[in-house]
Amino acid sequence: MAFFLRRPFAVSSALRQIPKSTNTARFIHNSPLKPSQAKPTSPISSSIFAKSRQTFQNAFRRTYMQPSYGAAQGGNLTQRLVYGAAIVGGTILATNMIFNREGREDGGMPHYERSYLNDTFLHTGLGIGIIGIAARALHTNGFSYRMMAMNPWAVVGLGLVASIGTMYGTFYTSPDNYVMKYGLWTAFNVTQAALLSPLMFMHPALLARAGLYTVGMMGSIAFVGATAKQEKYLYLGGPLLAGVTIVALSGFAPMVLPATATRALMWSEKIWLYGGLAVFGGFTLYDVQKVLHHARMAERGLVRRDVVNESVSLELDFINIFVRMVQILAMQRNNRK
């Protein structure tokens, strides 16, 4: 159930708020967005695109002041890259100094653990790449529009069934069955891409920044987990499970609370965003130490070496942190306007 609760619920919340007509959208401060002007191939497709884009930008961000994200970005690209690299590097150093003052006592990471961890990170990167490419392809082919036009509860139900089914199919397939193992793993990644494809309505610059910050956050936390004492953070499993339950319930709040419950919605949003960042940052730390623990067990022959299963947990951590980074950056952009 831990993996079930670690699903990104923001997309389902967005789908829940698709208007039935032009006057039924419910927002606290309903500031209409101006959809970007694209060259339509037909009036019908243009109308669908504009309506879907506006609906998603309004609903997904879950903010209370919702102007559109401008396409024009000031500043120098090189300067932004330098700032981004400084943020990532500073985060790694600060996190290591605060949480990892005492390093490993066994003289460093053994070769087998290092190899196991590197293979896990490689599969995690490949999985995230598959999700990004597949999400872009699905969005380009119009899947995002069709999914948002469907019944939101049907989307959530089918999405969870497909996601959980392919995930547990991957877990319980033996590593010796190479073709089926990687087939189910690929199907799991494509399922995540389908659920996250509406993110492509957001501006590419915002998505790129969110991705950079997510990599920086997860990279710094993973560095701490890899260099800390053995099993130092494995005790976090229970508290993190309780925390993710609270975050998941806050993600469902906009689907059940009325729009007039302003204070409750604001608090649920804060728990969803910032509490979720803390919880899934902790899951990253826990998962990295769990990978190293499994590596030691695999070296002794107690468990099978299976880096594909290990990568699924880190992919879910990345997805949940990335979704929240997108929301936070969109809110900051709105507040500056």
Side-chain angles (χ1 to χ4, degrees):
M1 290 300 294
F3 292 101
F4 171 77
L5 294 174
R6 293 164 68 181
R7 292 287 307 118
F9 294 102
V11 175
S12 63
S13 177
L15 297 175
R16 176 71 167 79
Q17 300 184 37
I18 296 177
K20 300 298 181 181
S21 65
T22 57
N23 295 321
T24 56
R26 299 188 306 171
F27 300 102
I28 304 305
H29 299 288
N30 194 11
S31 301
L33 293 172
K34 296 180 180 180
S36 57
Q37 297 295 331
K39 295 182 179 180
T41 56
S42 66
I44 296 178
S45 61
S46 175
S47 176
I48 295 175
F49 177 83
K51 185 176 179 180
S52 299
R53 180 182 179 88
Q54 180 176 351
T55 300
F56 182 79
Q57 287 181 332
N58 279 335
F60 178 80
R61 291 185 224 173
R62 296 170 58 198
T63 62
Y64 302 95
M65 296 179 63
Q66 299 172 334
S68 62
Y69 186 83
Q73 296 288 332
N76 183 274
L77 178 60
T78 304
Q79 189 178 36
R80 293 180 189 175
L81 292 176
V82 172
Y83 286 160
I87 291 174
V88 173
T91 303
I92 294 175
L93 292 176
T95 308
N96 188 55
M97 291 177 61
I98 295 173
F99 296 101
N100 197 25
R101 296 179 181 179
E102 298 180 1
R104 295 173 63 110
E105 297 177 341
D106 54 359
M109 188 181 300
H111 173 73
Y112 189 86
E113 291 184 26
R114 186 184 302 274
S115 174
Y116 196 90
L117 187 62
N118 288 339
D119 289 344
T120 300
F121 286 154
L122 175 62
H123 282 76
T124 302
L126 290 175
I128 294 171
I130 293 173
I131 293 173
I133 294 173
R136 179 61 182 174
L138 291 171
H139 180 73
T140 303
N141 293 330
F143 177 81
S144 301
Y145 318 131
R146 294 191 294 270
M147 185 176 73
M148 294 180 68
M150 295 173 59
N151 187 316
W153 292 107
V155 173
V156 173
L158 294 175
L160 288 177
V161 169
S163 181
I164 296 175
T166 53
M167 181 176 64
Y168 278 100
T170 303
F171 285 162
Y172 291 106
T173 301
S174 172
D176 297 332
N177 194 347
Y178 183 88
V179 175
M180 181 175 291
K181 183 79 171 180
Y182 279 89
L184 289 169
W185 179 66
T186 303
F188 167 77
N189 291 323
V190 172
T191 302
Q192 307 310 304
L195 294 174
L196 296 176
S197 60
L199 281 175
M200 294 299 167
F201 283 118
M202 309 300 289
H203 195 276
L206 188 146
L207 297 178
R209 288 180 59 197
L212 176 64
Y213 295 160
T214 303
V215 171
M217 178 178 175
M218 288 196 63
S220 59
I221 296 175
F223 179 79
V224 171
T227 56
K229 291 182 179 180
Q230 294 182 4
E231 304 180 8
K232 181 178 180 181
Y233 296 108
L234 290 183
Y235 74 92
L236 292 175
L240 288 174
L241 181 59
V244 80
T245 303
I246 297 175
V247 172
L249 293 176
S250 70
F252 279 120
M255 305 179 71
V256 296
L257 293 178
T260 54
T262 308
R263 186 178 298 274
L265 288 172
M266 291 179 65
W267 275 106
S268 70
E269 182 180 27
K270 291 180 180 179
I271 295 174
W272 164 263
L273 290 176
Y274 302 105
L277 281 180
V279 167
F280 290 105
F283 265 119
T284 302
L285 186 63
Y286 170 80
D287 289 334
V288 170
Q289 290 241 300
K290 185 180 68 175
V291 169
L292 296 176
H293 177 67
H294 288 170
R296 292 189 290 270
M297 295 178 65
E299 187 178 18
R300 296 194 295 267
L302 300 178
V303 297
R304 299 290 301 275
R305 177 187 173 93
D306 196 343
V307 295
V308 175
N309 286 2
E310 308 289 357
S311 69
V312 171
S313 300
L314 292 174
E315 286 182 45
L316 291 173
D317 297 336
F318 184 94
I319 291 172
N320 282 278
I321 293 175
F322 175 75
V323 168
R324 286 162 177 81
M325 285 292 183
V326 171
Q327 292 179 274
I328 291 172
L329 290 176
M331 291 171 60
Q332 291 177 350
R333 176 69 180 181
N334 294 338
N335 292 333
R336 287 196 296 266
K337 288 188 176 182

